[in-house]
Amino acid sequence: MATLNEKKTCSERMADFRRFVWNPETKLFLGRSLINWVWISLYYVAFYVVMSGVFALSIYCLMRTINPYEPDYQDQLKSPGVTIRPDVYGSRGLQIYYNVSDNKTWEGLVTTLHTFLTAYTPAAQHLNINCTNNTYFIQETFDGPNKTKLSCKFTSDMLQNCSGITDPTFGYPEGKPCFIIKMNRIIKFYPGRGIAPRVNCTYVGEESRPLEVDYYPVNGTFNLHYFPYYGKKAQPSYSNPLVAVKFLNITKNVELKIVCKIIGAGITFDNVYDPYEGKVEFKLKIED
Amino acid sequence: MKVGCHASSSIHAPRPRQFGDKMSAVCCCAHCDFLSLGMQDDHRLSTSELEKKYGTSIDKGLSSARAAEILARDGPNALTPPKATPEIVKFLKQMIGGFSILLWIGAAFSWISFGIQLAQGVDSAFDNLYLGVVLALVVILTGIFAYYQEAKSTNIMASFSKMIPQQALVLRDAEKKELPADQLVVGDIVEIKGGDRIPADIRLIFTQGCKVDNSSLTGESEPQSRSCDFTHENPLETRNIAFYSTTCVEGTATGIVINTGDRTIIGRIASLASGVGNEKTPIAIEIEHFVYLVAGVAISIGVLFFIISVSMRYKILDSIIFLIGIIVANVPEGLLATVTVSLSLTAKRMAKKNCLVKNLEAVETLGSTSIICSDKTGTLTQNRMTVAHLWFDNQIYSADTSEDQTTQSFDQSSPSWAALSKIVTLCNRAEFRPGQENLPIMKRVVVGDASETALLKFSEVILGDVMNIRAQNKKVAEIPFNSTNKFQLSIHETDDPHDKRFLLVMKGAPERILERCSTIMINGKEEPLDSEKAEAFQTRGKMLNARAPWGRANPDVLSSFCHLYLPENEFPETFQFDTDSMNFPTSNLCFVGLLSMIDPPRSTVPDAVSKCRSAGIKVIMVTGDHPITAKAIAKSVGIISATSETVEDIAKRLNIPVEQVNRREATAAVVNGMELKEMSAEQLDEILREHAEIVFARTSPQQKLIIVEGCQRQGAVVAVTGDGVNDSPALKKADIGIAMGIAGSDAAKNAADMVLLDDNFASIVTGVEEGRLIFDNLKKTIAYTLTKNIAELCPFLIYIIASIPMPIGTITILFIDLGTDIIPSVALAYEKAESDIMNRRPRNKRRDRLVNEQLAVYSYLQIGIMQSVGAFVTYFTVYAEQGFLPSTLLGVRVDWESNAINDFEDSYGQQWTKYQRTYLQWTGYTAFFVSITIQQVADLIIRKTRRNSIFRQGLFRNKVIWVGIFSQIGIALILTYGLGHVTALNFTPLRFQYWFVAVPFAILIWVYDEIRKLLIRRYPGSWWDKNMYY
């Protein structure tokens, strides 16, 4: 079979490459004459300008079809996610460890809560209205200013003992820490089918073991008048309702696994892939 | 024991052969001595000395026990096949060849990052482990596949060479036994008869009319007689040795086996030939070039973006993961497998057309062939003598010489023809082998020499049942042909019961017959053969010669026939004819007619040669025949076209000496082997350069090697045909060696890259056509495959630069490369040629690359970019409709991928957990995947042609393309909806409308490519043509 000897030494290859980059005889730069390079560059500039135009046009058309108030589909948002504050993530999820006698270990946690609650000061909430009905706050029309819808007020004082007002340390030094549970916003989501969803915290895997918890507001419910959410454009000043939990009988120096679920029709917490759907699980260890 | 030696009878005058000369040709003379030295003195020894030497007995043979002993010592009587590469080495080569090394690097990086992440306790560490495993699996599986393909094509060849186990008739334990030939040992007494292949090197001790065809050894097809006489010092030239793998043409012989297996002459030559090393085929070089190109792009983009991502303050680990993605996106994992499949499909197609390809890559080599050096006998011609012209009644008649003649159409009403046909039938010793009544006449096996065979078949075709006619005209006496009287004579009773006369019939060389004739038969009447008639005969004879000019070189293929009815009174029924004293007249006979015989060209050859010519392939004839014969055949098949002249022709026409002719005017050249011997390499180069039509005559196989080397010096891709053992060095040296399947020796088949099952030159041309087609189609396949690599790469680049959520996953890319894209890219191998590829010049292996700049640039920077745009539009559509508008996506990567953020806000203020985002990201992967698939359908359709409009090529002519399209979409549907719930694969059941987002871009690709092709056709040679035609 063929004996095609294309073996070249390294220096020959280098020389070939130099010749390819600039060939002084044919005046070719990288295999093309300079004028040829100009032409080909012009062609590609034109080509890419046109392609960018096509892309921009496509995105423009896409944006024209998009409803600014609510997304077309909520395929992934069937049930809301749940988050907790303070949130410290370790390598295996939420891990809240602190030592009551060591200020430094819990000051950060307290600061997190204070920072989080700044959005719930009366000043921050002044655009929102006071709601008293314990039913869904359905608004077909834009009653708010600038073609918006109204949002209900939620202020931190509703969290009573966990508001940070009466106890700026949220009970951390006493070993009775407060946690704030928040449910993710989903547009036009009606949780609980008319019954206010509530937070329920237990030990993981040991539901029968008593966990003494104080819930704020009472019963740990999210009042229905905060729902449904109409989206950022309709309710620019909307803020999520919160539930604070205060654990009262935490055994010291033991890592405890606690889960806080939101109980209510339409909220699922059994998705094996999503640990934060309808519930939040965390490890708590208080040392002294 | 009686040792009889008969001279064989034939109307052929055996031409003296320079056997030693031929032998030296094989092995460039240094080896000559080796060959001769290796031979024993067995040819000198007497029978009894031989018996003593080999411990055997001529009457009893060896004992079985002794034979078994020797067999154990010497091994079986078979040629050791050339040493094969160990299977494991072949397998490992597949594992590290091509892109595999890049993918191994990718896998190694994956495992490294897995290790690091595991140590850091990162949740997603195992993703990298799996990715590494998947990459390794991809390499191993494609490696196994390529290995399997190669093994399969090797097996075809292996099965072919083991077709029929040869048998030999051996005398052992005083009994004659049929044994497999590989059981023969030195000292065995074997019997051979006409038609047998000689089973080993044999010293003959008894012969009867034995002739052997040494063509497999010397390339000389003329049968040579064998006897038990010691005729030459050189064992290679003496007549009392018959060589392994040659054939006994006629007669019988008994002999002692003196060499077996690799120690035979053939075995030694074969081991010499296997010394010539194999190097890369043109297509292997092309694929290597392409692999370098792609690997170069992959590595440079990978390194560039590694640097970019590091300088953009990404973590080193992340940068490594990006690097893996870029490598995987850039490497067309399935392509090499596709190329192998395409080549083997073509190999299968070629096998159907009688070209058996041993080495897959040879498929394409044949397509780039620019010079074919062809044998004459058997390849260009039918390799059998056939009656071509007749002369009787002062008239020339032409006979049908085609391969499948069943009747002859010339005027057979004349009584002269009746007389002539009778002589032709009776004065002939050739016979059909029994038991072939159902075969077509032309296919039957005949015992007898070539010209007698021709005459027998000729008369069988016209008269039917020759054997019956002979039986009715009982032969009473016969003088066989010998070189002194140069005629053959027999005396028969007539088939007319009332005619008690004997009929004397004679055939022989025209001048000898003519001098014995006094009358000539015209229209059935005897007329005196006066000088005027003799003159007419001479001119007629010349005319016949002119029509069949090869006859001039081989006068023996012109046979004259005459007869004489012996008077009843002088030769009564009881007369005893004595052939020694010749008690009957052999002169004053009646001349009846003249027949000329040729080895006619195969009917398909002239067409094939003209096809080669229009395809820019130079056909050079290399033959051992006489220059005049060679030139005549060359003219009749078109190797020398009707209008072109050689230097000698011009000299003759202008009536000037040969030296004064301007050599440049002569387009053709007939070079004699003797002249070639004297030539320097430069002179040979000049001849090969200056003349378009060349015939090498009277050449030895070694000169064939010189010619091949000369052609290769011109930069040509040379195909060489050959059948003899002596051809194997030339076959090896050639870019593509083509062995003859029927006439070829095993050594030639071993050395060749391709075996021509029907020995027909025309099959080479179909092979060339297939080879060219596959080159074109591989271009299309590669262009198709490379395009989507950009659409797979862009997501990574944009992801790194714009920090958007990852548009496509590494696993998803593998599903495109090894899933949806495989069948469509193979389907392109079935594409028909766009225009007549046989009207094109052969590709220049230095300039016309498989993957050229235009192909890469057009696929990467134009169609690939269009595909990317289409896929990104789908991506943005999916995200926007689920809540993330394009503006929100820019720069979100870190938060998006953070496990610690489970209330990630979208453009509408909704909040997403990590898993919800990841699921959306997978939906994005699926959408991106689906858009690439949809646009690859368009890409597949545009790749059907490179120049013509799709509408001209026809959308439905290649049905396999549609199989490809349906498979592509089918696989995508299964992945999306069938496996959409298997989270490890990262597919999700996509909303149906997202399948159509990329359709406008698919149409845009099609329209753009049609415009490109239109402009190429409209403005050939323009800037556009130069830059856009790949």
Side-chain angles (χ1 to χ4, degrees):
Chain A
M1 173 60 78
T3 52
L4 238 175
N5 283 317
E6 285 210 333
K7 290 200 181 88
K8 290 176 187 163
T9 64
C10 193
S11 60
E12 272 173 341
R13 276 174 196 277
M14 286 310 292
D16 279 358
F17 182 71
R18 265 202 299 276
R19 178 169 291 269
F20 171 70
V21 173
W22 173 248
N23 188 335
E25 289 148 33
T26 49
K27 301 221 185 304
L28 294 183
F29 172 69
L30 293 174
R32 285 175 186 280
S33 65
L34 293 177
I35 186 73
N36 207 327
W37 271 112
V38 172
W39 280 115
I40 197 91
S41 313
L42 279 179
Y43 182 78
Y44 274 96
V45 167
F47 181 81
Y48 289 132
V49 165
V50 170
M51 283 321 293
S52 312
V54 169
F55 181 71
L57 185 72
S58 306
I59 297 297
Y60 174 75
C61 293
L62 170 66
M63 296 310 287
R64 288 293 299 268
T65 66
I66 294 286
N67 178 340
Y69 289 98
E70 53 187 285
D72 294 8
Y73 306 111
Q74 295 171 300
D75 294 337
Q76 278 75 40
L77 301 177
K78 298 295 179 215
S79 175
V82 178
T83 54
I84 192 168
R85 297 292 185 292
D87 48 350
V88 179
Y89 285 82
S91 64
R92 294 270 174 277
L94 285 162
Q95 288 173 326
I96 293 132
Y97 297 169
Y98 76 92
N99 192 328
V100 286
S101 47
D102 185 354
N103 286 9
K104 281 182 206 130
T105 57
W106 50 262
E107 266 172 0
L109 303 174
V110 171
T111 316
T112 309
L113 285 175
H114 277 298
T115 316
F116 179 71
L117 287 176
T118 49
Y120 293 90
T121 56
Q125 294 281 321
H126 77 277
L127 288 174
N128 295 347
I129 58 163
N130 283 315
C131 305
T132 47
N133 276 351
N134 293 334
T135 53
Y136 294 123
F137 184 30
I138 298 169
Q139 307 171 66
E140 300 293 347
T141 52
F142 294 89
D143 299 333
N146 303 325
K147 250 195 133 205
T148 57
K149 295 184 184 183
L150 300 168
S151 307
C152 290
K153 197 169 273 190
F154 189 101
T155 47
S156 50
D157 59 285
M158 295 178 184
L159 300 176
Q160 299 159 8
N161 280 346
C162 287
S163 63
I165 300 162
T166 49
D167 176 11
T169 56
F170 297 93
Y172 279 76
E174 296 93 64
K176 292 174 180 171
C178 281
F179 289 89
I180 294 173
I181 310 285
K182 179 173 72 91
M183 188 163 72
N184 281 351
R185 295 192 290 255
I186 296 178
I187 288 175
K188 288 193 175 166
F189 179 66
Y190 294 81
R193 247 176 256 134
I195 302 159
R198 63 177 181 88
V199 172
N200 180 30
C201 297
T202 55
Y203 290 112
V204 175
E206 306 170 87
E207 277 77 15
S208 54
R209 182 173 162 195
L211 174 67
E212 272 184 52
V213 192
D214 275 349
Y215 296 99
Y216 312 100
V218 252
N219 299 331
T221 52
F222 295 104
N223 198 307
L224 288 181
H225 60 233
Y226 294 105
F227 305 102
Y229 175 54
Y230 284 107
K232 199 153 79 175
K233 195 173 167 72
Q235 292 179 302
S237 60
Y238 180 91
S239 45
N240 302 32
L242 306 172
V243 167
V245 292
K246 191 175 179 72
F247 299 110
L248 303 172
N249 65 338
I250 297 298
T251 321
K252 300 277 164 48
N253 300 322
V254 180
E255 188 192 80
L256 300 165
K257 269 193 187 169
I258 296 170
V259 59
C260 291
K261 292 174 181 164
I262 295 181
I263 315 289
I267 301 166
T268 56
F269 43 74
D270 49 4
N271 185 342
V272 288
Y273 299 111
D274 192 348
Y276 299 99
E277 189 183 305
K279 63 174 192 291
V280 57
E281 226 178 85
F282 60 97
K283 289 178 197 143
L284 178 62
K285 188 175 175 188
I286 305 172
E287 293 168 328
D288 58 2
Chain B
M1 180 164 200
K2 189 190 153 206
V3 177
C5 299
H6 293 279
S8 60
S9 68
S10 159
I11 56 167
H12 277 262
R15 207 185 296 127
R17 288 268 155 258
Q18 290 131 2
F19 197 146
D21 201 46
K22 295 278 172 194
M23 284 311 304
S24 65
V26 191
C27 35
C28 322
C29 267
H31 305 298
C32 260
D33 302 333
F34 157 73
L35 277 179
S36 307
L37 281 177
M39 291 296 295
Q40 306 91 330
D41 286 337
D42 291 340
H43 55 301
R44 298 170 207 265
L45 303 181
S46 73
T47 316
S48 52
E49 283 170 320
L50 281 166
E51 278 183 311
K52 212 169 107 198
K53 181 174 176 190
Y54 291 109
T56 184
S57 146
I58 286 172
D59 304 319
K60 294 196 186 122
L62 291 172
S63 68
S64 297
R66 173 85 185 124
E69 248 172 62
I70 304 175
L71 187 65
R73 186 192 70 198
D74 291 353
N77 173 34
L79 297 184
T80 321
K83 208 167 79 192
T85 328
E87 294 299 304
I88 185 74
V89 174
K90 278 193 208 162
F91 185 69
L92 289 178
K93 259 190 189 163
Q94 300 289 1
M95 291 290 161
I96 53 164
F99 295 118
S100 304
I101 207 87
L102 272 184
L103 293 178
W104 281 122
I105 293 172
F109 279 148
S110 304
W111 287 323
I112 292 171
S113 44
F114 161 69
I116 297 171
Q117 287 188 334
L118 194 69
Q120 292 175 344
V122 179
D123 273 342
S124 57
F126 282 89
D127 290 355
N128 285 319
L129 175 69
Y130 301 143
L131 181 59
V133 170
V134 167
L135 289 179
L137 269 181
V138 164
V139 179
I140 291 169
L141 287 181
T142 48
I144 288 174
F145 177 78
Y147 171 75
Y148 166 76
Q149 278 291 343
E150 200 186 278
K152 214 168 68 175
S153 66
T154 323
N155 281 346
I156 298 174
M157 200 50 221
S159 64
F160 179 76
S161 60
K162 279 186 195 141
M163 253 184 343
I164 316 151
Q166 208 194 332
Q167 297 285 320
L169 192 60
V170 190
L171 192 65
R172 285 220 183 137
D173 303 324
E175 267 177 72
K176 278 189 192 171
K177 286 181 193 167
E178 282 268 313
L179 283 180
D182 60 354
Q183 298 295 315
L184 286 187
V185 296
V186 166
D188 264 330
I189 310 295
V190 292
E191 275 186 27
I192 47 174
K193 56 181 188 305
D196 285 355
R197 223 177 68 152
I198 313 284
D201 281 358
I202 291 170
R203 160 71 158 84
L204 301 174
I205 49 177
F206 170 79
T207 60
Q208 191 168 29
C210 178
K211 277 190 167 188
V212 289
D213 176 359
N214 270 353
S215 59
S216 70
L217 197 61
T218 61
E220 191 55 62
S221 58
E222 204 110 334
Q224 298 173 22
S225 62
R226 290 284 115 160
S227 67
C228 39
D229 305 329
F230 163 52
T231 55
H232 202 286
E233 288 291 322
N234 187 336
L236 299 171
E237 288 184 41
T238 181
R239 284 199 179 179
N240 57 1
I241 291 183
F243 297 101
Y244 178 44
S245 93
T246 61
T247 356
C248 177
V249 188
E250 58 178 72
T252 59
T254 307
I256 300 182
V257 174
I258 53 170
N259 283 316
T260 57
D262 290 332
R263 289 166 300 280
T264 59
I265 291 291
I266 283 276
R268 281 177 230 172
I269 295 172
S271 61
L272 281 181
S274 61
V276 183
N278 277 354
E279 284 201 31
K280 285 171 197 150
T281 58
I283 192 76
I285 291 170
E286 288 307 319
I287 288 174
E288 195 172 78
H289 170 246
F290 155 70
V291 168
Y292 281 154
L293 192 122
V294 172
V297 169
I299 292 172
S300 32
I301 294 183
V303 169
L304 180 69
F305 275 83
F306 184 78
I307 294 168
I308 289 178
S309 52
V310 168
S311 55
M312 283 176 74
R313 299 181 187 285
Y314 281 98
K315 280 185 266 172
I316 297 286
L317 198 64
D318 286 344
S319 308
I320 289 178
I321 294 170
F322 301 157
L323 186 60
I324 301 167
I326 288 172
I327 290 175
V328 172
N330 254 311
V331 171
E333 286 85 5
L335 188 59
L336 294 187
T338 313
V339 169
T340 317
V341 171
S342 304
L343 286 176
S344 62
L345 282 174
T346 308
K348 255 185 210 157
R349 217 157 37 202
M350 284 164 93
K352 260 188 216 151
K353 294 177 181 169
N354 291 321
C355 286
L356 193 67
V357 180
K358 271 169 65 182
N359 177 347
L360 273 190
E361 287 160 353
V363 168
E364 193 280 325
T365 315
L366 196 56
S368 44
T369 299
S370 51
I371 296 182
I372 301 177
C373 291
S374 177
D375 268 347
K376 189 200 84 157
T377 313
T379 313
L380 297 172
T381 66
Q382 299 172 18
N383 197 17
R384 57 180 180 85
M385 282 296 181
T386 304
V387 173
H389 293 96
L390 306 91
W391 181 83
F392 56 86
D393 292 350
N394 244 337
Q395 249 182 319
I396 293 177
Y397 299 88
S398 296
D400 179 9
T401 58
S402 65
E403 284 95 330
D404 50 354
Q405 45 180 293
T406 46
T407 53
Q408 289 288 0
S409 52
F410 62 89
D411 179 22
Q412 296 160 11
S413 57
S414 161
S416 308
W417 163 246
L420 180 59
S421 64
K422 187 161 264 181
I423 309 170
V424 170
T425 311
L426 297 181
C427 193
N428 190 336
R429 285 158 52 96
E431 283 177 26
F432 287 112
R433 283 258 183 97
Q436 309 185 78
E437 286 72 20
N438 298 327
L439 285 177
I441 295 166
M442 285 299 143
K443 296 234 163 70
R444 292 187 203 168
V445 178
V446 175
V447 182
D449 74 21
S451 46
E452 290 217 305
T453 303
L455 292 173
L456 174 64
K457 286 185 174 171
F458 181 67
S459 43
E460 181 83 13
V461 165
I462 295 173
L463 305 172
D465 208 354
V466 168
M467 302 319 276
N468 190 35
I469 298 174
R470 287 198 200 160
Q472 283 171 8
N473 297 272
K474 207 168 143 262
K475 195 191 285 180
V476 292
E478 178 174 45
I479 300 176
F481 185 89
N482 68 48
S483 41
T484 37
N485 29 5
K486 285 198 172 159
F487 65 78
Q488 177 179 351
L489 175 154
S490 57
I491 300 168
H492 299 260
E493 294 171 2
T494 61
D495 48 2
D496 182 354
H498 307 296
D499 191 348
K500 295 290 176 214
R501 292 176 298 170
F502 287 101
L503 173 62
L504 183 151
V505 289
M506 185 192 267
K507 75 172 175 196
E511 64 279 8
R512 290 304 176 92
I513 299 296
L514 200 59
E515 67 194 26
R516 290 172 189 276
C517 290
S518 57
T519 58
I520 180 165
M521 183 175 278
I522 305 287
N523 296 327
K525 299 207 172 56
E526 283 189 31
E527 290 177 17
L529 184 65
D530 47 33
S531 58
E532 190 189 322
K533 290 236 171 52
E535 185 74 11
F537 169 78
Q538 294 286 0
T539 51
R540 289 297 168 187
K542 265 185 199 151
M543 277 176 67
L544 205 51
N545 262 343
R547 289 246 185 129
W550 39 85
R552 239 182 316 181
N554 276 344
D556 20 86
V557 297
L558 207 55
S559 279
S560 301
F561 298 86
C562 62
H563 72 185
L564 182 69
Y565 282 96
L566 302 178
E568 206 179 341
N569 45 9
E570 275 178 60
F571 300 94
E573 227 174 318
T574 53
F575 187 83
Q576 285 298 314
F577 292 96
D578 183 356
T579 53
D580 291 330
S581 64
M582 296 247 223
N583 58 351
F584 48 87
T586 55
S587 56
N588 290 329
L589 310 177
C590 171
F591 190 90
V592 181
L594 195 63
L595 263 68
S596 78
M597 278 164 285
I598 55 164
D599 178 6
R602 289 170 179 271
S603 49
T604 48
V605 168
D607 195 37
V609 170
S610 79
K611 248 187 176 173
C612 280
R613 183 148 297 144
S614 58
I617 302 170
K618 201 162 164 177
V619 182
I620 294 178
M621 183 161 111
V622 183
T623 175
D625 279 345
H626 192 281
I628 295 174
T629 320
K631 189 177 166 191
I633 286 283
K635 281 212 153 169
S636 74
V637 297
I639 288 179
I640 295 181
S641 46
T643 51
S644 63
E645 291 176 310
T646 63
V647 174
E648 291 77 16
D649 290 336
I650 296 174
K652 206 168 153 195
R653 178 164 56 83
L654 300 176
N655 220 352
I656 51 171
V658 174
E659 294 74 39
Q660 291 178 8
V661 176
N662 178 3
R663 295 199 161 257
R664 277 159 210 265
E665 275 176 32
T667 48
V670 178
V671 182
N672 195 315
M674 299 307 285
E675 296 164 40
L676 187 58
K677 223 177 211 171
E678 311 288 309
M679 266 178 212
S680 65
E682 290 74 40
Q683 282 171 309
L684 177 62
D685 286 357
E686 195 190 318
I687 286 189
L688 290 172
R689 239 190 347 261
E690 299 290 330
H691 301 285
E693 299 166 348
I694 308 173
V695 170
F696 289 96
R698 279 252 180 265
T699 47
S700 65
Q702 191 218 0
Q703 289 179 323
K704 207 176 199 172
L705 188 61
I706 294 172
I707 294 165
V708 170
E709 284 169 341
C711 294
Q712 283 175 337
R713 275 198 300 276
Q714 317 290 311
V717 175
V718 186
V720 169
T721 72
D723 45 18
V725 174
N726 272 1
D727 290 332
S728 32
L731 290 175
K732 281 241 159 185
K733 181 73 200 162
D735 295 278
I736 180 158
I738 304 168
M740 298 298 135
I742 303 169
S745 60
D746 287 352
K749 285 179 202 164
N750 271 333
D753 305 299
M754 189 175 275
V755 178
L756 222 50
L757 292 180
D758 60 354
D759 289 12
N760 190 347
F761 181 81
S763 305
I764 303 178
V765 181
T766 32
V768 170
E769 203 167 347
E770 289 291 344
R772 289 187 173 193
L773 184 58
I774 197 63
F775 187 80
D776 281 10
N777 285 350
L778 281 181
K779 256 188 178 191
K780 295 173 183 175
T781 301
I782 291 175
Y784 167 78
T785 315
L786 286 187
T787 305
K788 57 123 197 312
N789 278 48
I790 285 299
E792 292 167 353
L793 178 69
C794 282
F796 280 92
L797 308 188
I798 308 261
Y799 166 75
I800 294 172
I801 291 171
S803 283
I804 55 172
M806 182 65 112
I808 192 165
T810 317
I811 304 280
T812 321
I813 289 175
L814 291 176
F815 272 108
I816 298 175
D817 288 3
L818 297 169
T820 55
D821 258 13
I822 291 286
I823 299 174
S825 47
V826 171
L828 282 170
Y830 288 92
E831 202 51 48
K832 302 273 178 305
E834 275 174 67
S835 53
D836 193 356
I837 41 178
M838 294 305 274
N839 278 334
R840 213 158 66 186
R841 300 202 55 75
R843 82 181 173 90
N844 179 325
K845 61 186 173 186
R846 305 225 178 271
R847 255 205 333 266
D848 308 334
R849 319 276 342 214
L850 182 64
V851 179
N852 52 17
E853 183 201 321
Q854 288 89 340
L855 186 150
V857 165
Y858 183 67
S859 301
Y860 274 154
L861 298 184
Q862 297 188 28
I863 301 297
I865 293 293
M866 289 167 102
Q867 271 194 0
S868 309
V869 170
F872 266 106
V873 168
T874 316
Y875 164 87
F876 282 121
T877 307
V878 169
Y879 276 79
E881 294 195 338
Q882 298 285 345
F884 292 93
L885 299 182
S887 48
T888 325
L889 288 175
L890 299 177
V892 297
R893 188 192 71 94
V894 177
D895 285 352
W896 180 275
E897 289 177 356
S898 165
N899 282 318
I901 298 177
N902 281 296
D903 50 359
F904 189 93
E905 219 172 283
D906 68 14
S907 316
Y908 293 92
Q910 306 185 98
Q911 291 167 321
W912 298 61
T913 65
K914 173 73 198 304
Y915 178 77
Q916 285 163 343
R917 295 196 304 269
T918 308
Y919 197 83
L920 177 59
Q921 189 176 326
W922 292 342
T923 310
Y925 290 1
T926 313
F928 214 94
F929 163 83
V930 163
S931 324
I932 291 181
T933 307
I934 295 293
Q935 293 177 91
Q936 278 292 80
V937 172
D939 191 24
L940 183 64
I941 290 173
I942 65 166
R943 300 303 184 180
K944 279 165 70 78
T945 58
R946 294 187 294 145
R947 179 185 292 274
N948 287 348
S949 163
I950 290 299
F951 301 103
R952 189 162 159 215
Q953 182 81 348
L955 266 175
F956 300 98
R957 257 211 309 171
N958 179 357
K959 303 276 186 308
V960 190
I961 288 281
W962 288 96
V963 173
I965 291 175
F966 285 124
S967 77
Q968 197 167 23
I969 292 172
I971 292 172
L973 283 170
I974 290 170
L975 285 174
T976 315
Y977 298 111
L979 302 174
H981 297 286
V982 184
T983 43
L985 299 180
N986 303 352
F987 282 99
T988 66
L990 194 68
R991 278 184 178 268
F992 199 63
Q993 68 263 38
Y994 294 140
W995 286 71
F996 301 98
V997 179
V999 169
F1001 290 89
I1003 295 169
L1004 181 67
I1005 287 174
W1006 188 350
V1007 171
Y1008 180 69
D1009 195 62
E1010 276 298 312
I1011 293 171
R1012 176 189 75 93
K1013 288 167 187 164
L1014 180 73
L1015 292 178
I1016 286 173
R1017 291 195 304 273
R1018 277 281 164 81
Y1019 306 105
S1022 63
W1023 178 88
W1024 184 270
D1025 187 17
K1026 275 184 206 137
N1027 285 288
M1028 297 292 177
Y1029 181 67
Y1030 56 88

